[in-house]
Amino acid sequence: MKESITALRALQRQLYAFRYAEALISYDEAAVAPPESEAGRAVAAEEFARLRYALLTGADTAALLERAARDAEDEQQAAEVRELKREAGRIRNIPPGEYAAFSGLVAQAMPAWGRARKDSDFAAFAPYLEKIVAAVRRQAACIDPARDPYDVLLDQYEPGLTAARCDAFFAAVRGAVVPLLAEVQKRGAPVRTDFLENDWPLDKQRALSRRLMALWGLDPAHTLLGESEHPFTDSLYSGDVRLTTRYLPRDFTSSLYSVLHEGGHALYDSHVDAALDYTALQGGASMGIHESQSRLFENCVGRSRAFVECLWPTLCELFPAQLAGVTAEELYRAVNRAVPGPIRTKADELTYPLHIMVRYELEKALVHGELAVRDLPAAWNERYREYLGITPKNDAEGVLQDIHWAGGDIGYFPSYALGSAYAAQAMDDIRQALDVDACAARGDLAPLREELTKRLWRYGCLKETDWLVESLCGGPFDPAHYTAYLTRKYTALYAL
Ligand SMILES: [Zn+2]
């Protein structure tokens, strides 16, 4: 191996060590750390950011990347250079003090948001959000002063995504979902949900999670299921993937679908080719692609009739009293009922993209300076009335419900809706050769995992985003698959 490639690998191992520490810090923050420990964490986060910045943007690294670009002998080496150049290019023009301070700012903002949400007190969080919006606008201007700042932010989460592409996508979604939802509400077909309101013992819910992990094929030697207020997945490398869920004593479907969702993320991360570990190519590709895998397992498989029927005997064994007199079909309809509500994470598949559309429009307006942070709650409520026909009863169930903006993630939300659309298109293509419902009915998802490994999982970040989307979906991205999927599903469910 050439000297430059050996040095490139050594650099990536150091960056990996930083990522490892930062991922552990964030897992610890969400699942382990005591509630008022953010001061120390903010200092550590800021110092790690400073070290990583220096390592990535130093003159030595720039020279090394040029040498390695010339010396790269295979696709992986070339892709490693490409990804490192992209990462360094993104932050190089941000002043180092500003870059590090941003990590410290979000480490303080997240617990402040948690307290503000508990008290439903937007004013307590607003000063943090004002600083965050100002900071991401400055960063976008540093990264590429010639481009629209919101496009620069979108690109960080989904390379190549622009507001123009988002506008076209959301117009297609809105055009299909809004009339469909109106029909569903007009029909008002009675879906039985009385049995969901019950006591679901936590030890039985935890036992269910273990069964679900096994059904998804997650290896307990390499995956850990923890508990946190907001379920998430964090992978250290392909051999250590952490996911979390949240148990509600009065609603077992909340944790059920969190585990299925986070399990999809975890499957993706743990099936990336181990040869990419400790390099810039490890882990999943874009946020939209990552979300496509969680949505595919949560919704396309997990909310299918075939899977609910497969799970039914297990559920009856764990919850015999709660499910007495209930049928699998009734559960299937209950977990697929479409009802507009204020909370995104509780939304059904049909109303979900409308929640994302609200966030997309508002964060774009914030970044463009067309909306002030202090006017955000009113703008939020107005859009919920317009798109979903409801008014949040306070800011806790309105503008304060999501952690993303507190975490500095502005430009992230559109990838959630895109993920659902990638998943629907991928399933259309996969179903041509594989009877996914038959697999789900048997509780044997190995053939689906093999197919997704072949199309997507093994590549990590080796390939570019557009290439991966096409490989996953079996053709160029087309949101018509997603709108057709929703129309098919809800037309049948509600006999429209
Ligand atoms: Zn997710």
Side-chain angles (χ1 to χ4, degrees):
M1 201 182 276
K2 296 221 165 96
E3 169 278 327
S4 66
I5 301 298
T6 307
L8 186 76
R9 289 278 158 84
L11 167 69
Q12 291 178 93
R13 285 172 74 92
Q14 283 182 291
L15 290 166
Y16 159 76
F18 287 132
R19 269 202 310 277
Y20 188 100
E22 288 171 322
L24 265 188
I25 289 171
S26 85
Y27 180 84
D28 176 82
E29 174 185 15
V32 183
E36 294 189 18
S37 55
E38 73 262 26
R41 197 159 46 244
V43 173
E46 199 170 321
E47 290 310 313
F48 271 116
R50 207 184 300 282
L51 288 166
R52 182 156 41 81
Y53 181 94
L55 196 57
L56 253 177
T57 61
D60 292 354
T61 298
L64 170 62
L65 289 174
E66 289 314 316
R67 284 204 311 284
R70 281 194 303 273
D71 294 346
E73 284 174 333
D74 59 29
E75 183 185 19
Q76 180 174 336
Q77 292 171 6
E80 288 168 17
V81 173
R82 181 196 73 214
E83 286 303 312
L84 287 168
K85 277 190 162 180
R86 201 196 318 258
E87 215 180 318
R90 252 199 308 256
I91 62 175
R92 183 178 299 122
N93 296 325
I94 301 172
E98 162 118 28
Y99 181 78
F102 188 67
S103 292
L105 171 62
V106 300
Q108 302 269 8
M110 287 205 284
W113 160 81
R115 289 187 289 269
R117 193 179 70 140
K118 195 156 68 50
D119 304 336
S120 193
D121 180 5
F122 181 75
F125 174 59
Y128 293 93
L129 187 56
E130 275 164 6
K131 283 187 196 155
I132 286 171
V133 171
V136 298
R137 290 180 63 177
R138 282 195 305 275
Q139 288 176 12
C142 292
I143 294 167
D144 191 345
R147 288 183 68 197
D148 181 290
Y150 189 62
D151 282 354
V152 173
L153 299 178
L154 284 172
D155 190 72
Q156 295 186 321
Y157 303 97
E158 194 70 8
L161 186 62
T162 61
R165 279 170 79 169
C166 285
D167 285 341
F169 170 68
F170 283 114
V173 170
R174 188 181 180 167
V177 168
V178 170
L180 191 55
L181 181 60
E183 281 299 308
V184 164
Q185 287 183 291
K186 212 167 19 174
R187 171 69 53 144
V191 175
R192 189 185 161 195
T193 55
D194 59 305
F195 63 92
L196 294 179
E197 269 288 309
N198 213 325
D199 290 318
W200 306 90
L202 295 190
D203 58 327
K204 294 287 163 53
Q205 289 200 49
R206 290 193 180 97
L208 174 61
S209 294
R210 288 192 289 276
R211 306 265 189 108
L212 297 171
M213 301 269 288
L215 266 173
W216 263 201
L218 288 162
D219 178 357
H222 296 282
T223 44
L224 178 74
L225 178 67
E227 295 177 27
S228 66
E229 174 85 15
H230 299 275
F232 69 100
T233 303
D234 207 353
S235 58
L236 306 179
Y237 76 111
S238 64
D240 185 346
V241 178
R242 317 279 174 98
L243 58 155
T244 67
T245 187
R246 179 189 183 200
Y247 295 107
L248 301 180
R250 300 280 299 167
D251 178 8
F252 86 103
T253 63
S254 171
S255 172
L256 163 64
Y257 283 101
S258 288
V259 172
L260 299 187
H261 177 100
E262 299 306 330
H265 284 302
L267 278 171
Y268 182 13
D269 281 340
S270 53
H271 283 77
V272 172
D273 187 344
L276 305 181
D277 278 332
Y278 325 130
T279 75
L281 309 179
Q282 105 177 22
S286 73
M287 295 302 170
I289 293 177
H290 228 301
E291 196 66 10
S292 73
Q293 300 309 288
S294 55
R295 298 269 154 202
L296 190 153
F297 278 89
E298 177 194 353
N299 292 332
C300 304
V301 180
R303 286 183 210 272
S304 69
R305 186 179 268 117
F307 182 74
V308 171
E309 282 172 1
C310 160
L311 199 59
W312 187 246
T314 301
L315 295 174
C316 290
E317 180 199 320
L318 289 169
F319 307 109
Q322 292 85 343
L323 292 173
V326 183
T327 65
E329 180 66 18
E330 284 169 331
L331 177 63
Y332 166 68
R333 288 178 178 273
V335 298
N336 283 294
R337 71 198 178 287
V339 183
I343 306 293
R344 174 184 63 86
T345 54
K346 289 187 181 164
D348 53 85
E349 278 184 89
L350 187 58
T351 55
Y352 189 85
L354 302 177
H355 291 262
I356 299 302
M357 218 162 73
V358 170
R359 289 152 178 78
Y360 162 65
E361 290 177 5
L362 294 177
E363 65 177 21
K364 187 168 65 167
L366 284 173
V367 171
H368 285 162
E370 295 158 4
L371 176 66
V373 165
R374 67 175 175 278
D375 298 327
L376 189 56
W380 179 283
N381 293 347
E382 191 187 303
R383 279 189 175 64
Y384 264 79
R385 269 193 296 277
E386 188 189 340
Y387 298 152
L388 288 137
I390 53 166
T391 307
K393 65 174 186 288
N394 54 43
D395 288 340
E397 70 163 41
V399 68
L400 285 172
Q401 67 182 273
D402 296 309
I403 196 169
H404 304 64
W405 292 339
D409 290 319
I410 297 180
Y412 187 139
F413 277 119
S415 61
Y416 281 161
L418 274 179
S420 299
Y422 295 159
Q425 187 173 354
M427 285 301 272
D428 275 353
D429 199 58
I430 290 169
R431 280 182 201 281
Q432 290 185 17
L434 179 68
D435 188 344
V436 179
D437 285 332
C439 296
R442 289 198 305 274
D444 171 19
L445 292 161
L448 180 61
R449 289 195 297 272
E450 273 163 38
E451 189 59 35
L452 289 166
T453 302
K454 195 173 80 191
R455 289 173 182 239
L456 175 71
W457 292 351
R458 60 183 164 145
Y459 293 113
C461 300
L462 183 68
K463 307 281 191 182
E464 295 272 18
T465 311
D466 284 346
W467 188 97
L468 289 168
V469 169
E470 247 187 90
S471 172
L472 169 66
C473 296
F477 175 54
D478 178 1
H481 289 271
Y482 178 43
T483 53
Y485 161 74
L486 290 174
T487 305
R488 228 167 31 233
K489 179 162 184 172
Y490 285 92
T491 301
L493 269 164
Y494 284 87
L496 298 177

